[in-house]
Amino acid sequence: MSSRAATRVFQGVEEQIATGQLKDGEKLDETSLAERFQVSRTPVREALLQLVGSGLATQVPKRGCFVKAPSLREMIEMFEVMSELEGMCARLAARRISDRQLIELEQSNRECGDAIKANDSDLYYRKNVEFHECIYSACGNGFLAEETRSLRRRLQSFRRLQLRVRGRMLQSLDEHSEIIEAIRSGDADQADRVSRQHVMIQGERFNDLLAHMEQDP
């Protein structure tokens, strides 16, 4: 129960940081968060540790936990690096993927399609993570895979939110199909190119989402 509650608090605070409702440097008070999410302080502490681990908060001894929101420039820079890492993973996967891994990749994309039919962007995000995990595993380079996962965790709130932009899930699914085709055919250059474009579009779409949210009353 505590773990589920901690995840709910983590995702709630994560989204508020991503959308600017919680500002950089703002204190994350355990008591206030426990009241806001109607949980005990134990899952709040777990959530704060997750936020620190994901780079969205910092723990200051004897002072508490504070929001560490990336600036727009930092976000753009992270998306640029993320696109290169994803491209490298796809490039290697095109050369090294096994038949079993290819089947798993295709199945993950079908499940992404099922999430679209359910109009569930959060489910799509989870299935999208599984899709990319298949590529990380297939690249055959553990160090590269872990570095890519690490940056993905830092960007996960922003990548999740951009899927709420109208039409983005369908576009993302089409891009997945292009990535799969390039990997299936062993075209490393094409796999690299379409994977990099896939992630950079996410950065642009996230900016669209922020603009849309700022227009809401």
Side-chain angles (χ1 to χ4, degrees):
M1 179 67 72
S2 176
S3 179
R4 289 198 297 271
T7 298
R8 181 162 60 86
V9 175
F10 170 76
Q11 291 181 346
V13 174
E14 179 188 54
E15 180 165 335
Q16 290 176 346
I17 293 173
T19 57
Q21 296 175 61
L22 286 172
K23 306 298 183 183
D24 186 51
E26 189 169 339
K27 186 172 183 178
L28 296 170
D29 181 70
E30 288 184 11
T31 302
S32 298
L33 290 173
E35 292 175 355
R36 184 187 311 170
F37 291 97
Q38 298 184 326
V39 296
S40 70
R41 293 176 65 174
T42 298
V44 170
R45 293 191 189 102
E46 292 178 23
L48 292 179
L49 287 174
Q50 292 179 52
L51 288 163
V52 171
S54 66
L56 290 175
T58 183
Q59 187 74 42
V60 180
K62 298 183 180 180
R63 291 187 57 201
C65 196
F66 297 84
V67 172
K68 185 181 178 184
S71 66
L72 180 58
R73 178 171 182 171
E74 288 171 332
M75 257 197 300
I76 291 172
E77 290 174 347
M78 284 191 286
F79 270 110
E80 285 180 343
V81 174
M82 189 72 198
S83 72
E84 295 298 324
L85 292 175
E86 291 275 5
M88 290 173 65
C89 287
R91 170 180 288 277
L92 291 176
R95 291 161 41 191
R96 299 173 177 176
I97 196 167
S98 68
D99 291 341
R100 177 185 58 79
Q101 289 172 325
L102 182 58
I103 290 171
E104 291 173 353
L105 182 64
E106 292 170 335
Q107 176 60 29
S108 292
N109 203 40
R110 283 193 290 272
E111 291 175 359
C112 285
D114 292 339
I116 291 177
K117 292 176 184 176
N119 195 30
D120 189 333
S121 63
D122 288 333
L123 177 60
Y124 184 93
Y125 176 79
R126 293 194 295 273
K127 295 303 178 181
N128 178 65
V129 168
E130 293 176 9
F131 174 85
H132 286 276
E133 279 291 340
C134 288
I135 296 175
Y136 304 160
S137 296
C139 83
N141 185 315
F143 178 79
L144 173 61
E146 190 51 44
E147 290 300 304
T148 308
R149 290 188 187 101
S150 178
L151 185 52
R152 186 194 69 204
R153 285 192 289 268
R154 291 195 65 184
L155 288 169
Q156 66 183 359
S157 56
F158 307 103
R159 295 183 73 169
R160 182 186 297 114
L161 285 175
Q162 56 85 30
L163 291 171
R164 298 179 187 175
V165 174
R166 181 179 298 174
R168 176 54 195 155
M169 286 192 290
L170 277 172
Q171 186 177 10
S172 174
L173 191 69
D174 288 342
E175 292 162 6
H176 283 183
S177 297
E178 292 181 357
I179 293 169
I180 290 173
E181 181 55 36
I183 290 175
R184 183 192 294 116
S185 64
D187 189 337
D189 289 342
Q190 176 71 351
D192 185 348
R193 185 181 68 80
V194 295
S195 292
R196 283 189 286 109
Q197 289 179 343
H198 175 59
V199 175
M200 286 311 296
I201 288 174
Q202 288 179 332
E204 294 166 1
R205 290 290 178 173
F206 175 67
N207 291 338
D208 290 343
L209 176 63
L210 285 185
H212 173 73
M213 295 183 71
E214 288 171 356
Q215 293 170 4
D216 289 344

Short mmCIF file of all heavy atoms in Angstrom, two decimals, residues 1-2 4 94 136 147 163 179 185 187 201:
data_model
loop_
_atom_site.label_atom_id
_atom_site.label_comp_id
_atom_site.label_asym_id
_atom_site.label_seq_id
_atom_site.Cartn_x
_atom_site.Cartn_y
_atom_site.Cartn_z
N MET A 1 0.83 -1.21 0.00
CA MET A 1 0.00 0.00 0.00
C MET A 1 0.86 1.25 0.00
O MET A 1 0.63 2.19 -0.73
CB MET A 1 -0.93 -0.02 1.22
CG MET A 1 -1.84 1.21 1.32
SD MET A 1 -3.05 1.29 -0.03
CE MET A 1 -4.14 -0.05 0.47
N SER A 2 1.92 1.24 0.85
CA SER A 2 2.79 2.40 0.94
C SER A 2 3.45 2.70 -0.39
O SER A 2 3.58 3.85 -0.79
CB SER A 2 3.85 2.17 2.02
OG SER A 2 4.75 3.24 2.07
N ARG A 4 2.36 2.01 -3.46
CA ARG A 4 1.40 2.59 -4.39
C ARG A 4 1.12 4.05 -4.04
O ARG A 4 1.02 4.90 -4.92
CB ARG A 4 0.09 1.79 -4.40
CG ARG A 4 0.20 0.42 -5.05
CD ARG A 4 -1.17 -0.11 -5.42
NE ARG A 4 -1.99 -0.32 -4.24
CZ ARG A 4 -2.02 -1.44 -3.53
NH1 ARG A 4 -1.24 -2.46 -3.87
NH2 ARG A 4 -2.81 -1.57 -2.49
N ALA A 94 19.61 -2.37 -34.64
CA ALA A 94 19.41 -2.78 -36.04
C ALA A 94 20.44 -3.82 -36.46
O ALA A 94 20.18 -4.65 -37.35
CB ALA A 94 19.49 -1.56 -36.95
N TYR A 136 16.60 -0.83 -25.98
CA TYR A 136 17.79 -0.75 -25.12
C TYR A 136 18.40 -2.14 -24.93
O TYR A 136 19.62 -2.31 -24.99
CB TYR A 136 17.45 -0.16 -23.75
CG TYR A 136 16.79 1.20 -23.77
CD1 TYR A 136 16.07 1.65 -22.67
CD2 TYR A 136 16.86 2.04 -24.89
CE1 TYR A 136 15.46 2.89 -22.66
CE2 TYR A 136 16.25 3.28 -24.89
CZ TYR A 136 15.54 3.71 -23.78
OH TYR A 136 14.92 4.93 -23.77
N GLU A 147 22.81 4.48 -19.36
CA GLU A 147 22.89 5.93 -19.48
C GLU A 147 21.60 6.49 -20.11
O GLU A 147 21.11 7.55 -19.70
CB GLU A 147 24.09 6.33 -20.35
CG GLU A 147 25.43 6.09 -19.69
CD GLU A 147 25.60 6.89 -18.41
OE1 GLU A 147 25.47 8.12 -18.45
OE2 GLU A 147 25.85 6.27 -17.35
N LEU A 163 2.37 13.54 -24.37
CA LEU A 163 1.46 12.61 -25.03
C LEU A 163 0.01 13.08 -24.96
O LEU A 163 -0.85 12.53 -25.64
CB LEU A 163 1.59 11.22 -24.40
CG LEU A 163 2.92 10.50 -24.67
CD1 LEU A 163 3.02 9.24 -23.82
CD2 LEU A 163 3.07 10.16 -26.15
N ILE A 179 10.56 3.06 -36.86
CA ILE A 179 11.72 2.55 -36.12
C ILE A 179 11.80 1.04 -36.25
O ILE A 179 12.87 0.47 -36.51
CB ILE A 179 11.65 2.97 -34.64
CG1 ILE A 179 11.79 4.49 -34.50
CG2 ILE A 179 12.74 2.27 -33.83
CD1 ILE A 179 11.46 5.02 -33.11
N SER A 185 14.84 -4.34 -40.93
CA SER A 185 15.58 -4.45 -42.19
C SER A 185 17.09 -4.34 -42.00
O SER A 185 17.85 -4.48 -42.96
CB SER A 185 15.11 -3.37 -43.16
OG SER A 185 15.40 -2.07 -42.66
N ASP A 187 18.73 -1.64 -41.21
CA ASP A 187 19.22 -0.35 -41.70
C ASP A 187 19.60 0.52 -40.50
O ASP A 187 18.77 1.26 -39.96
CB ASP A 187 18.13 0.32 -42.54
CG ASP A 187 18.63 1.55 -43.29
OD1 ASP A 187 19.64 2.15 -42.84
OD2 ASP A 187 18.01 1.93 -44.30
N ILE A 201 11.00 15.44 -31.62
CA ILE A 201 9.60 15.86 -31.77
C ILE A 201 8.93 15.93 -30.41
O ILE A 201 8.13 16.80 -30.13
CB ILE A 201 8.84 14.90 -32.71
CG1 ILE A 201 9.30 15.12 -34.16
CG2 ILE A 201 7.34 15.11 -32.61
CD1 ILE A 201 8.73 14.13 -35.15
#
